[in-house]
Amino acid sequence: MAEEQLGVLKALDVAKTQLYHFTAIVIAGMGFFTDAYDLFCVSLVTKLLGRIYYFNPLSEKPGSLPPHVAAAVNGVALCGTLAGQLFFGWLGDKLGRKKVYGVTLIMMILCSVASGLSFGNKAKGVMTTLCFFRFWLGFGIGGDYPLSATIMSEYANKKTRGAFIAAVFAMQGVGILAGGFVGLAVSSIFDKKFPSPTYAVDRALSTPPQADYIWRIIVMFGALPAALTYYWRMKMPETARYTALVAKNLKQATQDMSKVLQVELEMEERDEDILKDPRLNYGLFSKEFLKRHGLPLLGCTTTWFLLDIAFYSQNLFQKDIFSAIGWIPKASTMNAIHEVFKIARAQTLIALCSTVPGYWFTVAFIDIIGRFAIQLMGFFMMTVFMFAIAFPYDHWIKPDNRIGFVVMYSLTFFFANFGPNATTFIVPAEIFPARLRSTCHGISAATGKAGAIVGAFGFLYAAQPQDKTKTDAGYPPGIGVKNSLIMLGVINFVGMLFTFLVPEPKGKSLEELSGETEADK
């Protein structure tokens, strides 16, 4: 087995960490920042939308979104993301990473703005247009997953590749935080300008007409960071691995990377011969692909699917947890603007304490202990904490034990992010051949989003109490929160088992991992 690697790719693999690496992290990371901001900011404003558009003056409780509308507003973006991951993942291998990268960003900017401009002032018109634009926003976000990961892995050097891809992913945490901060800022400003009584005091006046601007501003703000990076995204050269291995234009790849690395790179004589090997042209649906990459692809898709079921179902328990700890008082004791403030504050605290640190722990340790160890440990700890919350669930919901409950809950999500949430994103960008890399990452990510849809909706119904009289308005009885948590623990355990199908990419070059330098293997 001759270990042959193109000269230009070897230069990238051994390059010292320099400015262009950080530029690439910021450019790719800003897309992820916007992704997370746009997907998560809607949870800040769903309660407000209910108060504004589903107000019933005769009800003791403020208006809330009916179950099917709440499901649509939250879920439509996930469905768009799933479609976008498959489509743009495939397109990124067909047309090149760079060409497609600009398109996804434009979609994200336009749809962010449009979803805040939803038409009409009646519930039906506003919700329909909001859902329409959020679907296409999700479609653009979906494209960002495979492209950002692939671009970063193809630009990075061998030694710190894991940390670089993890840093792009960690911008998600920053995006969630930014959503919280924007929510806090906007609601505070409106509260000062338009003070209003609580719902219990005056039902109609508790939601001032100006509150309609709050959710629009929060939703549209996501377009700003994306717009700022558009110019830089367009200036980035196509990755050398795509130009050399897929477009087969070695000369162009060498020139591009000479500029990027700021060193003179020469084409080597034998480089042309490596590219001509016909045995390296197998397609996605070939026997050769199945033999070489079938099990790793199965490992990447199943682990991401199982993780996202657990990860996205957290949002269901979040509101119960916040109310239980007393971070969010009863809805009727607040006006509409205060409610946005309280929800934003709770989300920001959770993000600061558990979500964000987990991401950066991954960045720090991934190239030291490796992807496999982090993923296995993450799934294991999530299983332990889910069971520890679930079995004595009746103990945790007593007011005296609230703090312990929050600590357990935070630790579960700390180990999701310092664990499979980060590694499932990183590994598919490393182990597949260049001409199928973006497609395979898209397939893995889309399977993950399918898990997210199961987590967000399956458990929305499953977590309803078994007693008919205690369910949320409009929902049938489910299996209760305790049993749902036990199921999630089991799902995490199965994720741990499937991790054994995923290879360890630490310290190897991308060509070594994908077998592109060794056709005679």
Side-chain angles (χ1 to χ4, degrees), residues 7 55 91 397 499:
F55 170 64
L91 208 60
I397 48 179
T499 300

Side-chain angles (χ1 to χ4, degrees), residues 84-106:
Q85 284 161 335
L86 291 171
F87 176 69
F88 286 119
W90 167 79
L91 208 60
D93 282 334
K94 280 279 167 284
L95 302 180
R97 330 293 189 214
K98 181 191 167 172
K99 279 188 185 139
V100 185
Y101 212 26
V103 179
T104 60
L105 198 67
I106 290 173

Side-chain angles (χ1 to χ4, degrees), residues 10 49 72 119 127 132 185 201 208 227 258 269 286 361 419 433 454:
K10 203 173 276 171
L49 288 170
F119 313 122
M127 292 305 149
F132 175 79
V201 173
S258 295
E269 292 296 314
S286 63
F361 262 77
V454 172

Side-chain angles (χ1 to χ4, degrees), residues 264-294:
E264 268 311 308
L265 295 175
E266 293 298 325
M267 270 175 64
E268 295 172 26
E269 292 296 314
R270 62 180 186 79
D271 282 359
E272 291 289 350
D273 305 331
I274 298 177
L275 291 179
K276 287 181 186 148
D277 196 318
R279 283 167 298 184
L280 287 177
N281 290 332
Y282 55 87
L284 182 64
F285 298 106
S286 63
K287 273 191 182 146
E288 185 67 18
F289 179 86
L290 194 66
K291 191 176 89 184
R292 288 172 178 243
H293 306 290

Side-chain angles (χ1 to χ4, degrees), residues 460-493:
L460 194 59
Y461 289 91
Q464 294 297 328
Q466 289 160 326
D467 180 351
K468 259 200 197 90
T469 55
K470 293 181 180 163
T471 58
D472 292 347
Y475 286 98
I479 56 172
V481 174
K482 180 177 178 168
N483 293 338
S484 298
L485 284 165
I486 293 171
M487 269 178 72
L488 290 172
V490 173
I491 287 168
N492 288 325
F493 182 73

Side-chain angles (χ1 to χ4, degrees), residues 317-329 345-346 349-350 396-399 401-407 409-410:
F317 306 120
Q318 223 163 34
K319 63 176 193 305
D320 307 334
I321 285 168
F322 293 155
S323 308
I325 330 161
W327 276 1
I328 298 179
R345 187 183 68 178
L349 282 168
I350 282 280
W396 291 120
I397 48 179
K398 296 193 179 94
N401 307 325
R402 282 174 184 167
I403 300 300
F405 189 22
V406 177
V407 171
Y409 177 80
S410 299

Side-chain angles (χ1 to χ4, degrees), residues 127-183:
M127 292 305 149
T128 309
T129 49
L130 178 65
C131 288
F132 175 79
F133 288 119
R134 279 190 67 76
F135 175 84
W136 291 107
L137 172 67
F139 196 70
I141 287 175
D144 226 51
Y145 271 75
L147 292 167
S148 290
T150 304
I151 285 174
M152 201 60 237
S153 85
E154 293 185 341
Y155 260 112
N157 55 27
K158 201 156 67 174
K159 208 168 110 204
T160 53
R161 187 178 59 232
F164 285 160
I165 309 175
V168 168
F169 192 62
M171 292 298 280
Q172 237 189 359
V174 184
I176 297 170
L177 265 186
F181 286 136
V182 170

